[in-house]
Amino acid sequence: MASSNRQSNPETSPAVAEGQEESLQDEISFRQIHAFLTVADIRNITQAAKQLHISQPGLSRVIATLESAVGQELFSRTGGKLSLTPFGMAFMPHARRLHSSYTDTLTAALDAHAKPLVLAGCDLVLTEIVPWLMARLTAPGHPAPRLEIHSMASHDVLERVADCKADVGLCMYGGDKTDLACTPVLNAPVGLLAPDGLALPEAINTLSDLARCPMVRLADEMVLPRMLRVRGIQADAYFNAPVVANSMSTAFAAVRGGRLATLVSAVAAASSQAHGLRFVPLPHLLPSMQLCVATRAETESNNADISLAVRRSVLALAWPPTVEPFHPPASSSKNP
C-alpha cells in the first residue's frame, strides 16, 4: 500500500478517464488487479492475503506496486479500518473491466487448449486401442482428455491429417508424403486372405502362382494398390481383377462369399472382420506394409504425447507372429 505521505484528495484526484483504460491495461498485471479487488471486497489485508495464498507483506507490496502504476492511493486506513480512497472507488469499475478482460482472455486460451484432439484411424485397429489409449492419456487425478475418434480407410486418414482435419492419424502407410511425419509402429507382411473353401495353389512362390487365384482387388486410391505400384510390383492378375472393392469391409464381404481372395496386410488379417478366413503371408513375394502414426510435420512436437500414447497402445495389442514391432535402422529417416 502507498505510504501516508502521498495523500488522496477527492477534489484533486481525477477519476480514471475512458481513454486511459487501454494504457493502464498495458501496465497493470492480472495479479495486481485481482489483489486489489480481493482487498476491496474483504476490506481486511490479512484475510485477503490468506484467500490469495500469499503473505501479508507480499500482498501489501502488490498493492503498492499497483498504486505506483496508477499514481494514486487506492486504500486508506482510519482508526484501524481499511477503506477505499475516492480514487480507489473511481478506479473500481475500471478494475472490474480489466479483470474481466484478463479472465475472458484466459478462458479463451483454455477453451482453445481444451478443443478435442482428433484421432483418425483405420477401423481395423482403432476400436481395439481406444481403451488402452484413454488410460495412457489420463493423468492421475485429472479427467480424461476430449478425444474425437474418426474411423476411416488408411488413404483417407493420410488426407485428413494433411488437410488439418485430424491431429493424429493411424494408418497403413504406403508411400511418401513430405508434408507428414509418419512414425512406423509395426511391420506387417502382405499376404493372401481367402475363405477356407477356395482352392489355392499348393505353393505361391511367384506372381504367376498368385495369378491363379481369383481375386477381388482394392480400389486404386487405397494404400495397398498404391504401394504395390510405387514398388513396381507387376501383379497384373491383381490389378486387372474385375471385382473392385472401395473399402476393406467390402473386400472382406466379397471374400466371405467363398469364391474370391484378396491381398491384405497381416494387420488387416488380424482384425475381427477377418475372423474365420485364412491368411497366407507372402513376405518372399510382396513388400511388407507399416502401420504408422502420422502427424503434420509442422505440428509433430505439439502432438508428441498423443502420438506416443497411440504407438504404445498399438504395441499393447496381441498380434500374430507375422506382425512385429518396427525397429528402424540407426541411419533411417522418419518417413518409411
Side-chain angles (χ1 to χ4, degrees), residues 173-190:
Y173 188 70
D176 293 323
K177 290 184 74 69
T178 57
D179 54 342
L180 297 184
C182 290
T183 304
V185 183
L186 297 174
N187 272 331
V190 172

Side-chain angles (χ1 to χ4, degrees), residues 27-48:
E27 300 174 9
I28 298 173
S29 69
F30 175 81
R31 183 174 186 237
Q32 292 168 333
I33 290 294
H34 189 54
F36 165 74
L37 292 174
T38 302
V39 174
D41 289 340
I42 296 177
R43 302 296 175 94
N44 184 295
I45 195 75
T46 302
Q47 292 179 14

Side-chain angles (χ1 to χ4, degrees), residues 198-267:
L198 184 68
L200 299 178
E202 290 185 8
I204 303 176
N205 297 316
T206 66
L207 292 177
S208 296
D209 294 334
L210 191 63
R212 292 162 55 194
C213 306
M215 281 189 285
V216 54
R217 70 177 177 91
L218 300 178
D220 287 341
E221 76 272 11
M222 296 179 71
V223 167
L224 178 57
R226 283 164 50 187
M227 184 196 76
L228 294 176
R229 289 189 186 278
V230 167
R231 301 289 178 88
I233 305 298
Q234 301 298 315
D236 293 339
Y238 178 74
F239 289 118
N240 295 328
V243 181
V244 181
N246 58 9
S247 73
M248 199 67 74
S249 297
T250 56
F252 285 152
V255 172
R256 285 192 180 280
R259 301 187 309 275
L260 297 169
T262 191
L263 291 176
V264 296
S265 70
V267 166

